[in-house]
Amino acid sequence: QVQLVQSGSELKKPGASVRVSCKASGYTFTNYPMTWVRQAPGQGFEWMGYINTNTGNPTYAQGFTGRFVFSLDTSVSTAYLQISSLKAEDTAIYFCARVGEVATGVDYWGQGTLVTVSS
Amino acid sequence: ETTLTQSPAFLSATPGDIVHISCKASQDIDDDMNWYQQKPGEAAIFIIQEATTLVPGIPPRFSGSGFGTDFTLTINDIDSEDVAYYFCLQHDSFPWTFGQGTKVELK
């Protein structure tokens, strides 16, 4: 069965960097793009963009360029989200989610990773 | 950008009730609307795809309707297993956008 398992919660200081991992299993990793979604405290979901797991080409939503980087290690079926120069407003739960078949949208979600940025 | 307005934000139902959750899009998105269920600490589950299609394995008491701008998730005969947070997603155009979510509880 398809599973997306994310890394654990992180507590970081402003200005630091964090890397969130998302390990996929139960399917061929490179056949489906991976998207990233942010949920800030008390807020709804924000789509951050996605990465083509076949080519490694990322697409970032407006507001998630510069400090946010999507990457892959296809040898271990894992997608990564790296955030640099962390700010307090980056405090959120970050989700990875698989993009399903053509015109399906998201079909599987990770459990989420809480990133807290605090001095 | 397509804005999704989801309502209500909170819903309290009696076991056995029929409940409706609405998601209205700011522009025509055809049937590119999905619904998800999320329970605390768990991964969200895909329940309705393309506005009306029940995802395999999801109980038939869940159904979706709508096309264009107005969409509804219906839960028939609601029970304790359905206590969760529900949200919609439009994947018609980038950026994909989400409804604000509905927290469903039982009385």
Side-chain angles (χ1 to χ4, degrees), chain A residues 37 39 43-47 50 61 95 99 103-107 109-111, chain B residues 34 36 38 41 43-44 46 49-50 85 87 89 91 94-96 98 100:
Chain A
V37 175
Q39 186 180 34
Q43 303 296 313
F45 294 102
E46 284 182 278
W47 182 72
Y50 72 97
F95 296 89
V99 179
T104 303
V106 165
D107 60 358
W109 292 77
Q111 84 276 18
Chain B
N34 294 347
Y36 303 89
Q38 185 186 35
F46 189 21
Q49 60 181 342
E50 302 309 296
Y85 177 80
F87 60 94
L89 160 70
H91 57 93
F94 291 142
W96 290 357
F98 297 85
Q100 287 294 101

PDB file of all heavy atoms in Angstrom, chain A residues 37 39 43-47 50 61 95 99 103-107 109-111, chain B residues 34 36 38 41 43-44 46 49-50 85 87 89 91 94-96 98 100:
ATOM      1  N   VAL A  37       2.749  21.051   0.906  1.00  0.00           N
ATOM      2  CA  VAL A  37       1.647  21.894   1.381  1.00  0.00           C
ATOM      3  C   VAL A  37       1.988  22.378   2.792  1.00  0.00           C
ATOM      4  O   VAL A  37       2.533  21.610   3.594  1.00  0.00           O
ATOM      5  CB  VAL A  37       0.331  21.079   1.400  1.00  0.00           C
ATOM      6  CG1 VAL A  37      -0.799  21.888   2.011  1.00  0.00           C
ATOM      7  CG2 VAL A  37      -0.035  20.633  -0.018  1.00  0.00           C
ATOM      8  N   GLN A  39       0.593  24.259   6.365  1.00  0.00           N
ATOM      9  CA  GLN A  39      -0.559  24.645   7.186  1.00  0.00           C
ATOM     10  C   GLN A  39      -0.040  25.389   8.403  1.00  0.00           C
ATOM     11  O   GLN A  39       0.468  24.785   9.346  1.00  0.00           O
ATOM     12  CB  GLN A  39      -1.382  23.424   7.597  1.00  0.00           C
ATOM     13  CG  GLN A  39      -2.661  23.791   8.337  1.00  0.00           C
ATOM     14  CD  GLN A  39      -3.473  22.579   8.737  1.00  0.00           C
ATOM     15  OE1 GLN A  39      -2.935  21.521   9.050  1.00  0.00           O
ATOM     16  NE2 GLN A  39      -4.807  22.721   8.722  1.00  0.00           N
ATOM     17  N   GLN A  43      -4.538  28.219  10.435  1.00  0.00           N
ATOM     18  CA  GLN A  43      -4.783  28.606   9.042  1.00  0.00           C
ATOM     19  C   GLN A  43      -5.135  27.392   8.198  1.00  0.00           C
ATOM     20  O   GLN A  43      -4.998  26.256   8.630  1.00  0.00           O
ATOM     21  CB  GLN A  43      -3.523  29.276   8.467  1.00  0.00           C
ATOM     22  CG  GLN A  43      -3.037  30.475   9.240  1.00  0.00           C
ATOM     23  CD  GLN A  43      -4.024  31.606   9.217  1.00  0.00           C
ATOM     24  OE1 GLN A  43      -4.554  31.974   8.156  1.00  0.00           O
ATOM     25  NE2 GLN A  43      -4.302  32.178  10.379  1.00  0.00           N
ATOM     26  N   GLY A  44      -5.572  27.667   6.989  1.00  0.00           N
ATOM     27  CA  GLY A  44      -5.844  26.598   6.056  1.00  0.00           C
ATOM     28  C   GLY A  44      -4.569  26.131   5.377  1.00  0.00           C
ATOM     29  O   GLY A  44      -3.461  26.554   5.700  1.00  0.00           O
ATOM     30  N   PHE A  45      -4.746  25.272   4.408  1.00  0.00           N
ATOM     31  CA  PHE A  45      -3.600  24.741   3.669  1.00  0.00           C
ATOM     32  C   PHE A  45      -3.160  25.709   2.570  1.00  0.00           C
ATOM     33  O   PHE A  45      -3.986  26.377   1.940  1.00  0.00           O
ATOM     34  CB  PHE A  45      -3.983  23.410   3.008  1.00  0.00           C
ATOM     35  CG  PHE A  45      -4.275  22.299   3.969  1.00  0.00           C
ATOM     36  CD1 PHE A  45      -5.579  21.928   4.260  1.00  0.00           C
ATOM     37  CD2 PHE A  45      -3.242  21.604   4.580  1.00  0.00           C
ATOM     38  CE1 PHE A  45      -5.849  20.897   5.135  1.00  0.00           C
ATOM     39  CE2 PHE A  45      -3.512  20.564   5.454  1.00  0.00           C
ATOM     40  CZ  PHE A  45      -4.820  20.217   5.735  1.00  0.00           C
ATOM     41  N   GLU A  46      -1.868  25.749   2.332  1.00  0.00           N
ATOM     42  CA  GLU A  46      -1.293  26.514   1.219  1.00  0.00           C
ATOM     43  C   GLU A  46      -0.476  25.561   0.362  1.00  0.00           C
ATOM     44  O   GLU A  46       0.405  24.856   0.868  1.00  0.00           O
ATOM     45  CB  GLU A  46      -0.338  27.580   1.734  1.00  0.00           C
ATOM     46  CG  GLU A  46      -0.943  28.793   2.329  1.00  0.00           C
ATOM     47  CD  GLU A  46       0.163  29.755   2.730  1.00  0.00           C
ATOM     48  OE1 GLU A  46       0.732  29.558   3.833  1.00  0.00           O
ATOM     49  OE2 GLU A  46       0.473  30.684   1.958  1.00  0.00           O
ATOM     50  N   TRP A  47      -0.731  25.602  -0.931  1.00  0.00           N
ATOM     51  CA  TRP A  47       0.038  24.774  -1.853  1.00  0.00           C
ATOM     52  C   TRP A  47       1.370  25.458  -2.149  1.00  0.00           C
ATOM     53  O   TRP A  47       1.398  26.619  -2.570  1.00  0.00           O
ATOM     54  CB  TRP A  47      -0.771  24.600  -3.133  1.00  0.00           C
ATOM     55  CG  TRP A  47      -0.152  23.734  -4.164  1.00  0.00           C
ATOM     56  CD1 TRP A  47      -0.020  22.378  -4.131  1.00  0.00           C
ATOM     57  CD2 TRP A  47       0.417  24.163  -5.407  1.00  0.00           C
ATOM     58  NE1 TRP A  47       0.593  21.936  -5.286  1.00  0.00           N
ATOM     59  CE2 TRP A  47       0.866  23.005  -6.084  1.00  0.00           C
ATOM     60  CE3 TRP A  47       0.587  25.404  -6.016  1.00  0.00           C
ATOM     61  CZ2 TRP A  47       1.475  23.057  -7.333  1.00  0.00           C
ATOM     62  CZ3 TRP A  47       1.182  25.462  -7.264  1.00  0.00           C
ATOM     63  CH2 TRP A  47       1.627  24.296  -7.907  1.00  0.00           C
ATOM     64  N   TYR A  50       5.391  21.788  -6.472  1.00  0.00           N
ATOM     65  CA  TYR A  50       5.600  20.352  -6.618  1.00  0.00           C
ATOM     66  C   TYR A  50       6.944  20.086  -7.297  1.00  0.00           C
ATOM     67  O   TYR A  50       7.586  20.998  -7.825  1.00  0.00           O
ATOM     68  CB  TYR A  50       4.463  19.718  -7.429  1.00  0.00           C
ATOM     69  CG  TYR A  50       4.484  20.052  -8.913  1.00  0.00           C
ATOM     70  CD1 TYR A  50       5.054  19.174  -9.833  1.00  0.00           C
ATOM     71  CD2 TYR A  50       3.936  21.242  -9.388  1.00  0.00           C
ATOM     72  CE1 TYR A  50       5.084  19.486 -11.182  1.00  0.00           C
ATOM     73  CE2 TYR A  50       3.964  21.557 -10.727  1.00  0.00           C
ATOM     74  CZ  TYR A  50       4.531  20.682 -11.627  1.00  0.00           C
ATOM     75  OH  TYR A  50       4.559  20.999 -12.966  1.00  0.00           O
ATOM     76  N   ALA A  61       5.233  27.630  -5.974  1.00  0.00           N
ATOM     77  CA  ALA A  61       4.136  28.591  -5.962  1.00  0.00           C
ATOM     78  C   ALA A  61       4.664  29.956  -5.547  1.00  0.00           C
ATOM     79  O   ALA A  61       5.726  30.069  -4.906  1.00  0.00           O
ATOM     80  CB  ALA A  61       3.054  28.125  -4.999  1.00  0.00           C
ATOM     81  N   PHE A  95       3.363  19.296   4.839  1.00  0.00           N
ATOM     82  CA  PHE A  95       2.912  17.994   4.347  1.00  0.00           C
ATOM     83  C   PHE A  95       3.507  17.722   2.974  1.00  0.00           C
ATOM     84  O   PHE A  95       3.546  18.622   2.118  1.00  0.00           O
ATOM     85  CB  PHE A  95       1.388  17.963   4.184  1.00  0.00           C
ATOM     86  CG  PHE A  95       0.605  18.114   5.451  1.00  0.00           C
ATOM     87  CD1 PHE A  95       0.242  19.373   5.909  1.00  0.00           C
ATOM     88  CD2 PHE A  95       0.223  17.007   6.190  1.00  0.00           C
ATOM     89  CE1 PHE A  95      -0.500  19.529   7.072  1.00  0.00           C
ATOM     90  CE2 PHE A  95      -0.513  17.138   7.352  1.00  0.00           C
ATOM     91  CZ  PHE A  95      -0.875  18.399   7.793  1.00  0.00           C
ATOM     92  N   VAL A  99       1.014  13.414  -6.078  1.00  0.00           N
ATOM     93  CA  VAL A  99       0.088  13.796  -7.147  1.00  0.00           C
ATOM     94  C   VAL A  99      -0.274  12.531  -7.904  1.00  0.00           C
ATOM     95  O   VAL A  99       0.602  11.816  -8.376  1.00  0.00           O
ATOM     96  CB  VAL A  99       0.718  14.838  -8.087  1.00  0.00           C
ATOM     97  CG1 VAL A  99      -0.247  15.204  -9.211  1.00  0.00           C
ATOM     98  CG2 VAL A  99       1.123  16.079  -7.299  1.00  0.00           C
ATOM     99  N   ALA A 103      -4.800  14.494 -13.947  1.00  0.00           N
ATOM    100  CA  ALA A 103      -6.042  15.191 -13.588  1.00  0.00           C
ATOM    101  C   ALA A 103      -6.704  14.645 -12.329  1.00  0.00           C
ATOM    102  O   ALA A 103      -7.907  14.780 -12.144  1.00  0.00           O
ATOM    103  CB  ALA A 103      -7.024  15.175 -14.751  1.00  0.00           C
ATOM    104  N   THR A 104      -5.900  14.043 -11.445  1.00  0.00           N
ATOM    105  CA  THR A 104      -6.458  13.521 -10.199  1.00  0.00           C
ATOM    106  C   THR A 104      -6.228  14.455  -9.026  1.00  0.00           C
ATOM    107  O   THR A 104      -6.935  14.389  -8.035  1.00  0.00           O
ATOM    108  CB  THR A 104      -5.850  12.149  -9.878  1.00  0.00           C
ATOM    109  OG1 THR A 104      -6.083  11.266 -10.959  1.00  0.00           O
ATOM    110  CG2 THR A 104      -6.418  11.562  -8.604  1.00  0.00           C
ATOM    111  N   GLY A 105      -5.203  15.288  -9.107  1.00  0.00           N
ATOM    112  CA  GLY A 105      -4.822  16.056  -7.930  1.00  0.00           C
ATOM    113  C   GLY A 105      -4.054  15.176  -6.961  1.00  0.00           C
ATOM    114  O   GLY A 105      -3.426  14.193  -7.350  1.00  0.00           O
ATOM    115  N   VAL A 106      -4.141  15.485  -5.694  1.00  0.00           N
ATOM    116  CA  VAL A 106      -3.431  14.734  -4.662  1.00  0.00           C
ATOM    117  C   VAL A 106      -4.217  13.484  -4.307  1.00  0.00           C
ATOM    118  O   VAL A 106      -5.433  13.556  -4.087  1.00  0.00           O
ATOM    119  CB  VAL A 106      -3.235  15.604  -3.396  1.00  0.00           C
ATOM    120  CG1 VAL A 106      -2.832  14.759  -2.205  1.00  0.00           C
ATOM    121  CG2 VAL A 106      -2.216  16.696  -3.668  1.00  0.00           C
ATOM    122  N   ASP A 107      -3.501  12.339  -4.224  1.00  0.00           N
ATOM    123  CA  ASP A 107      -4.207  11.129  -3.814  1.00  0.00           C
ATOM    124  C   ASP A 107      -3.708  10.545  -2.491  1.00  0.00           C
ATOM    125  O   ASP A 107      -4.467   9.870  -1.793  1.00  0.00           O
ATOM    126  CB  ASP A 107      -4.229  10.073  -4.929  1.00  0.00           C
ATOM    127  CG  ASP A 107      -2.852   9.614  -5.369  1.00  0.00           C
ATOM    128  OD1 ASP A 107      -1.837  10.126  -4.838  1.00  0.00           O
ATOM    129  OD2 ASP A 107      -2.796   8.743  -6.251  1.00  0.00           O
ATOM    130  N   TRP A 109      -1.317  11.442   1.187  1.00  0.00           N
ATOM    131  CA  TRP A 109      -0.682  12.463   2.006  1.00  0.00           C
ATOM    132  C   TRP A 109       0.277  11.842   3.009  1.00  0.00           C
ATOM    133  O   TRP A 109       0.043  10.728   3.501  1.00  0.00           O
ATOM    134  CB  TRP A 109      -1.737  13.223   2.809  1.00  0.00           C
ATOM    135  CG  TRP A 109      -2.659  14.078   2.015  1.00  0.00           C
ATOM    136  CD1 TRP A 109      -3.721  13.664   1.260  1.00  0.00           C
ATOM    137  CD2 TRP A 109      -2.628  15.507   1.908  1.00  0.00           C
ATOM    138  NE1 TRP A 109      -4.345  14.749   0.690  1.00  0.00           N
ATOM    139  CE2 TRP A 109      -3.702  15.889   1.071  1.00  0.00           C
ATOM    140  CE3 TRP A 109      -1.805  16.487   2.445  1.00  0.00           C
ATOM    141  CZ2 TRP A 109      -3.962  17.219   0.749  1.00  0.00           C
ATOM    142  CZ3 TRP A 109      -2.064  17.811   2.127  1.00  0.00           C
ATOM    143  CH2 TRP A 109      -3.128  18.169   1.293  1.00  0.00           C
ATOM    144  N   GLY A 110       1.326  12.593   3.335  1.00  0.00           N
ATOM    145  CA  GLY A 110       2.126  12.267   4.503  1.00  0.00           C
ATOM    146  C   GLY A 110       1.394  12.728   5.764  1.00  0.00           C
ATOM    147  O   GLY A 110       0.374  13.421   5.691  1.00  0.00           O
ATOM    148  N   GLN A 111       1.963  12.363   6.901  1.00  0.00           N
ATOM    149  CA  GLN A 111       1.295  12.678   8.173  1.00  0.00           C
ATOM    150  C   GLN A 111       1.594  14.087   8.659  1.00  0.00           C
ATOM    151  O   GLN A 111       0.988  14.553   9.631  1.00  0.00           O
ATOM    152  CB  GLN A 111       1.698  11.648   9.252  1.00  0.00           C
ATOM    153  CG  GLN A 111       3.005  11.942   9.963  1.00  0.00           C
ATOM    154  CD  GLN A 111       4.240  11.463   9.219  1.00  0.00           C
ATOM    155  OE1 GLN A 111       4.207  11.188   8.009  1.00  0.00           O
ATOM    156  NE2 GLN A 111       5.357  11.373   9.943  1.00  0.00           N
TER     157      GLN A 111
ATOM    158  N   ASN B  34     -11.535  17.899  -5.274  1.00  0.00           N
ATOM    159  CA  ASN B  34     -11.371  16.714  -4.434  1.00  0.00           C
ATOM    160  C   ASN B  34     -11.745  17.043  -2.997  1.00  0.00           C
ATOM    161  O   ASN B  34     -11.644  18.192  -2.561  1.00  0.00           O
ATOM    162  CB  ASN B  34      -9.916  16.230  -4.459  1.00  0.00           C
ATOM    163  CG  ASN B  34      -9.468  15.710  -5.813  1.00  0.00           C
ATOM    164  OD1 ASN B  34     -10.268  15.468  -6.707  1.00  0.00           O
ATOM    165  ND2 ASN B  34      -8.165  15.561  -5.956  1.00  0.00           N
ATOM    166  N   TYR B  36     -11.167  15.612   1.134  1.00  0.00           N
ATOM    167  CA  TYR B  36     -10.291  14.820   2.001  1.00  0.00           C
ATOM    168  C   TYR B  36     -10.812  14.855   3.431  1.00  0.00           C
ATOM    169  O   TYR B  36     -11.469  15.816   3.856  1.00  0.00           O
ATOM    170  CB  TYR B  36      -8.864  15.384   1.977  1.00  0.00           C
ATOM    171  CG  TYR B  36      -8.273  15.440   0.592  1.00  0.00           C
ATOM    172  CD1 TYR B  36      -8.455  16.553  -0.209  1.00  0.00           C
ATOM    173  CD2 TYR B  36      -7.543  14.374   0.080  1.00  0.00           C
ATOM    174  CE1 TYR B  36      -7.938  16.617  -1.489  1.00  0.00           C
ATOM    175  CE2 TYR B  36      -7.021  14.422  -1.198  1.00  0.00           C
ATOM    176  CZ  TYR B  36      -7.226  15.551  -1.980  1.00  0.00           C
ATOM    177  OH  TYR B  36      -6.710  15.601  -3.252  1.00  0.00           O
ATOM    178  N   GLN B  38      -9.335  14.357   7.388  1.00  0.00           N
ATOM    179  CA  GLN B  38      -8.114  14.319   8.179  1.00  0.00           C
ATOM    180  C   GLN B  38      -8.463  14.172   9.654  1.00  0.00           C
ATOM    181  O   GLN B  38      -9.273  14.935  10.189  1.00  0.00           O
ATOM    182  CB  GLN B  38      -7.291  15.593   7.966  1.00  0.00           C
ATOM    183  CG  GLN B  38      -5.936  15.585   8.652  1.00  0.00           C
ATOM    184  CD  GLN B  38      -5.225  16.923   8.540  1.00  0.00           C
ATOM    185  OE1 GLN B  38      -5.836  17.974   8.555  1.00  0.00           O
ATOM    186  NE2 GLN B  38      -3.903  16.884   8.418  1.00  0.00           N
ATOM    187  N   GLY B  41      -3.201  13.930  13.889  1.00  0.00           N
ATOM    188  CA  GLY B  41      -2.005  13.105  13.915  1.00  0.00           C
ATOM    189  C   GLY B  41      -1.917  12.072  12.812  1.00  0.00           C
ATOM    190  O   GLY B  41      -0.944  11.311  12.747  1.00  0.00           O
ATOM    191  N   ALA B  43      -2.388  10.951   8.525  1.00  0.00           N
ATOM    192  CA  ALA B  43      -2.374  11.471   7.164  1.00  0.00           C
ATOM    193  C   ALA B  43      -3.804  11.656   6.662  1.00  0.00           C
ATOM    194  O   ALA B  43      -4.693  10.856   6.968  1.00  0.00           O
ATOM    195  CB  ALA B  43      -1.622  10.502   6.253  1.00  0.00           C
ATOM    196  N   ALA B  44      -4.013  12.707   5.896  1.00  0.00           N
ATOM    197  CA  ALA B  44      -5.326  12.930   5.303  1.00  0.00           C
ATOM    198  C   ALA B  44      -5.667  11.792   4.347  1.00  0.00           C
ATOM    199  O   ALA B  44      -4.777  11.163   3.758  1.00  0.00           O
ATOM    200  CB  ALA B  44      -5.359  14.267   4.571  1.00  0.00           C
ATOM    201  N   PHE B  46      -8.031  10.590   1.032  1.00  0.00           N
ATOM    202  CA  PHE B  46      -8.715  11.014  -0.189  1.00  0.00           C
ATOM    203  C   PHE B  46     -10.075  10.328  -0.218  1.00  0.00           C
ATOM    204  O   PHE B  46     -10.142   9.097  -0.227  1.00  0.00           O
ATOM    205  CB  PHE B  46      -7.828  10.570  -1.354  1.00  0.00           C
ATOM    206  CG  PHE B  46      -8.192  11.060  -2.716  1.00  0.00           C
ATOM    207  CD1 PHE B  46      -8.972  12.178  -2.934  1.00  0.00           C
ATOM    208  CD2 PHE B  46      -7.677  10.393  -3.824  1.00  0.00           C
ATOM    209  CE1 PHE B  46      -9.251  12.629  -4.210  1.00  0.00           C
ATOM    210  CE2 PHE B  46      -7.950  10.841  -5.113  1.00  0.00           C
ATOM    211  CZ  PHE B  46      -8.732  11.952  -5.301  1.00  0.00           C
ATOM    212  N   GLN B  49     -13.074  12.153  -5.520  1.00  0.00           N
ATOM    213  CA  GLN B  49     -12.281  12.720  -6.606  1.00  0.00           C
ATOM    214  C   GLN B  49     -13.188  13.212  -7.727  1.00  0.00           C
ATOM    215  O   GLN B  49     -14.313  12.704  -7.893  1.00  0.00           O
ATOM    216  CB  GLN B  49     -11.285  11.708  -7.156  1.00  0.00           C
ATOM    217  CG  GLN B  49     -11.905  10.449  -7.721  1.00  0.00           C
ATOM    218  CD  GLN B  49     -10.827   9.477  -8.228  1.00  0.00           C
ATOM    219  OE1 GLN B  49      -9.682   9.864  -8.450  1.00  0.00           O
ATOM    220  NE2 GLN B  49     -11.187   8.235  -8.384  1.00  0.00           N
ATOM    221  N   GLU B  50     -12.693  14.192  -8.455  1.00  0.00           N
ATOM    222  CA  GLU B  50     -13.449  14.754  -9.582  1.00  0.00           C
ATOM    223  C   GLU B  50     -14.890  15.069  -9.199  1.00  0.00           C
ATOM    224  O   GLU B  50     -15.833  14.735  -9.916  1.00  0.00           O
ATOM    225  CB  GLU B  50     -13.372  13.813 -10.789  1.00  0.00           C
ATOM    226  CG  GLU B  50     -11.951  13.541 -11.250  1.00  0.00           C
ATOM    227  CD  GLU B  50     -11.122  14.806 -11.460  1.00  0.00           C
ATOM    228  OE1 GLU B  50     -11.453  15.616 -12.336  1.00  0.00           O
ATOM    229  OE2 GLU B  50     -10.133  15.002 -10.709  1.00  0.00           O
ATOM    230  N   TYR B  85     -11.722  16.403  10.391  1.00  0.00           N
ATOM    231  CA  TYR B  85     -11.616  17.683   9.682  1.00  0.00           C
ATOM    232  C   TYR B  85     -11.712  17.356   8.191  1.00  0.00           C
ATOM    233  O   TYR B  85     -11.042  16.432   7.711  1.00  0.00           O
ATOM    234  CB  TYR B  85     -10.270  18.299  10.047  1.00  0.00           C
ATOM    235  CG  TYR B  85      -9.897  19.589   9.391  1.00  0.00           C
ATOM    236  CD1 TYR B  85     -10.412  20.793   9.844  1.00  0.00           C
ATOM    237  CD2 TYR B  85      -8.966  19.617   8.361  1.00  0.00           C
ATOM    238  CE1 TYR B  85     -10.021  21.989   9.266  1.00  0.00           C
ATOM    239  CE2 TYR B  85      -8.573  20.808   7.787  1.00  0.00           C
ATOM    240  CZ  TYR B  85      -9.101  21.993   8.238  1.00  0.00           C
ATOM    241  OH  TYR B  85      -8.719  23.181   7.667  1.00  0.00           O
ATOM    242  N   PHE B  87     -11.705  18.858   4.151  1.00  0.00           N
ATOM    243  CA  PHE B  87     -11.324  20.001   3.337  1.00  0.00           C
ATOM    244  C   PHE B  87     -11.368  19.662   1.858  1.00  0.00           C
ATOM    245  O   PHE B  87     -11.295  18.495   1.466  1.00  0.00           O
ATOM    246  CB  PHE B  87      -9.939  20.535   3.723  1.00  0.00           C
ATOM    247  CG  PHE B  87      -8.798  19.564   3.576  1.00  0.00           C
ATOM    248  CD1 PHE B  87      -8.034  19.539   2.419  1.00  0.00           C
ATOM    249  CD2 PHE B  87      -8.480  18.687   4.599  1.00  0.00           C
ATOM    250  CE1 PHE B  87      -6.976  18.655   2.290  1.00  0.00           C
ATOM    251  CE2 PHE B  87      -7.421  17.799   4.478  1.00  0.00           C
ATOM    252  CZ  PHE B  87      -6.672  17.787   3.326  1.00  0.00           C
ATOM    253  N   LEU B  89     -10.060  20.623  -2.214  1.00  0.00           N
ATOM    254  CA  LEU B  89      -8.891  21.050  -2.992  1.00  0.00           C
ATOM    255  C   LEU B  89      -9.306  21.189  -4.450  1.00  0.00           C
ATOM    256  O   LEU B  89      -9.932  20.269  -5.003  1.00  0.00           O
ATOM    257  CB  LEU B  89      -7.776  20.007  -2.898  1.00  0.00           C
ATOM    258  CG  LEU B  89      -6.689  20.043  -3.991  1.00  0.00           C
ATOM    259  CD1 LEU B  89      -5.810  21.277  -3.847  1.00  0.00           C
ATOM    260  CD2 LEU B  89      -5.846  18.773  -3.948  1.00  0.00           C
ATOM    261  N   HIS B  91      -7.852  21.385  -8.243  1.00  0.00           N
ATOM    262  CA  HIS B  91      -6.634  21.142  -9.006  1.00  0.00           C
ATOM    263  C   HIS B  91      -6.866  21.461 -10.485  1.00  0.00           C
ATOM    264  O   HIS B  91      -6.251  20.873 -11.371  1.00  0.00           O
ATOM    265  CB  HIS B  91      -6.163  19.697  -8.812  1.00  0.00           C
ATOM    266  CG  HIS B  91      -7.176  18.655  -9.183  1.00  0.00           C
ATOM    267  ND1 HIS B  91      -7.239  18.080 -10.429  1.00  0.00           N
ATOM    268  CD2 HIS B  91      -8.170  18.094  -8.456  1.00  0.00           C
ATOM    269  CE1 HIS B  91      -8.225  17.211 -10.459  1.00  0.00           C
ATOM    270  NE2 HIS B  91      -8.803  17.199  -9.281  1.00  0.00           N
ATOM    271  N   PHE B  94      -3.109  26.111 -11.503  1.00  0.00           N
ATOM    272  CA  PHE B  94      -2.110  26.491 -10.513  1.00  0.00           C
ATOM    273  C   PHE B  94      -2.309  27.964 -10.139  1.00  0.00           C
ATOM    274  O   PHE B  94      -2.623  28.789 -11.003  1.00  0.00           O
ATOM    275  CB  PHE B  94      -0.707  26.300 -11.049  1.00  0.00           C
ATOM    276  CG  PHE B  94      -0.299  24.871 -11.243  1.00  0.00           C
ATOM    277  CD1 PHE B  94       0.464  24.505 -12.334  1.00  0.00           C
ATOM    278  CD2 PHE B  94      -0.670  23.883 -10.328  1.00  0.00           C
ATOM    279  CE1 PHE B  94       0.851  23.176 -12.514  1.00  0.00           C
ATOM    280  CE2 PHE B  94      -0.298  22.562 -10.501  1.00  0.00           C
ATOM    281  CZ  PHE B  94       0.474  22.199 -11.612  1.00  0.00           C
ATOM    282  N   PRO B  95      -2.107  28.342  -8.873  1.00  0.00           N
ATOM    283  CA  PRO B  95      -1.776  27.430  -7.777  1.00  0.00           C
ATOM    284  C   PRO B  95      -2.993  26.639  -7.307  1.00  0.00           C
ATOM    285  O   PRO B  95      -4.100  27.176  -7.250  1.00  0.00           O
ATOM    286  CB  PRO B  95      -1.305  28.387  -6.682  1.00  0.00           C
ATOM    287  CG  PRO B  95      -2.099  29.629  -6.916  1.00  0.00           C
ATOM    288  CD  PRO B  95      -2.221  29.740  -8.416  1.00  0.00           C
ATOM    289  N   TRP B  96      -2.789  25.372  -7.014  1.00  0.00           N
ATOM    290  CA  TRP B  96      -3.859  24.630  -6.396  1.00  0.00           C
ATOM    291  C   TRP B  96      -4.232  25.331  -5.096  1.00  0.00           C
ATOM    292  O   TRP B  96      -3.356  25.877  -4.403  1.00  0.00           O
ATOM    293  CB  TRP B  96      -3.410  23.198  -6.114  1.00  0.00           C
ATOM    294  CG  TRP B  96      -3.246  22.388  -7.358  1.00  0.00           C
ATOM    295  CD1 TRP B  96      -3.506  22.761  -8.645  1.00  0.00           C
ATOM    296  CD2 TRP B  96      -2.776  21.055  -7.419  1.00  0.00           C
ATOM    297  NE1 TRP B  96      -3.226  21.740  -9.504  1.00  0.00           N
ATOM    298  CE2 TRP B  96      -2.778  20.666  -8.787  1.00  0.00           C
ATOM    299  CE3 TRP B  96      -2.348  20.124  -6.459  1.00  0.00           C
ATOM    300  CZ2 TRP B  96      -2.385  19.409  -9.212  1.00  0.00           C
ATOM    301  CZ3 TRP B  96      -1.946  18.872  -6.882  1.00  0.00           C
ATOM    302  CH2 TRP B  96      -1.969  18.511  -8.248  1.00  0.00           C
ATOM    303  N   PHE B  98      -7.059  25.440  -1.518  1.00  0.00           N
ATOM    304  CA  PHE B  98      -7.812  24.634  -0.581  1.00  0.00           C
ATOM    305  C   PHE B  98      -8.926  25.444   0.065  1.00  0.00           C
ATOM    306  O   PHE B  98      -8.811  26.669   0.222  1.00  0.00           O
ATOM    307  CB  PHE B  98      -6.889  24.137   0.545  1.00  0.00           C
ATOM    308  CG  PHE B  98      -5.777  23.247   0.095  1.00  0.00           C
ATOM    309  CD1 PHE B  98      -4.584  23.777  -0.361  1.00  0.00           C
ATOM    310  CD2 PHE B  98      -5.911  21.874   0.150  1.00  0.00           C
ATOM    311  CE1 PHE B  98      -3.544  22.958  -0.771  1.00  0.00           C
ATOM    312  CE2 PHE B  98      -4.878  21.038  -0.251  1.00  0.00           C
ATOM    313  CZ  PHE B  98      -3.692  21.581  -0.718  1.00  0.00           C
ATOM    314  N   GLN B 100     -11.002  26.282   3.563  1.00  0.00           N
ATOM    315  CA  GLN B 100     -10.504  26.526   4.913  1.00  0.00           C
ATOM    316  C   GLN B 100     -10.768  25.372   5.860  1.00  0.00           C
ATOM    317  O   GLN B 100     -10.262  25.365   6.986  1.00  0.00           O
ATOM    318  CB  GLN B 100     -11.114  27.801   5.477  1.00  0.00           C
ATOM    319  CG  GLN B 100     -10.549  29.065   4.841  1.00  0.00           C
ATOM    320  CD  GLN B 100      -9.072  29.254   5.170  1.00  0.00           C
ATOM    321  OE1 GLN B 100      -8.201  28.961   4.368  1.00  0.00           O
ATOM    322  NE2 GLN B 100      -8.788  29.732   6.370  1.00  0.00           N
TER     323      GLN B 100
END
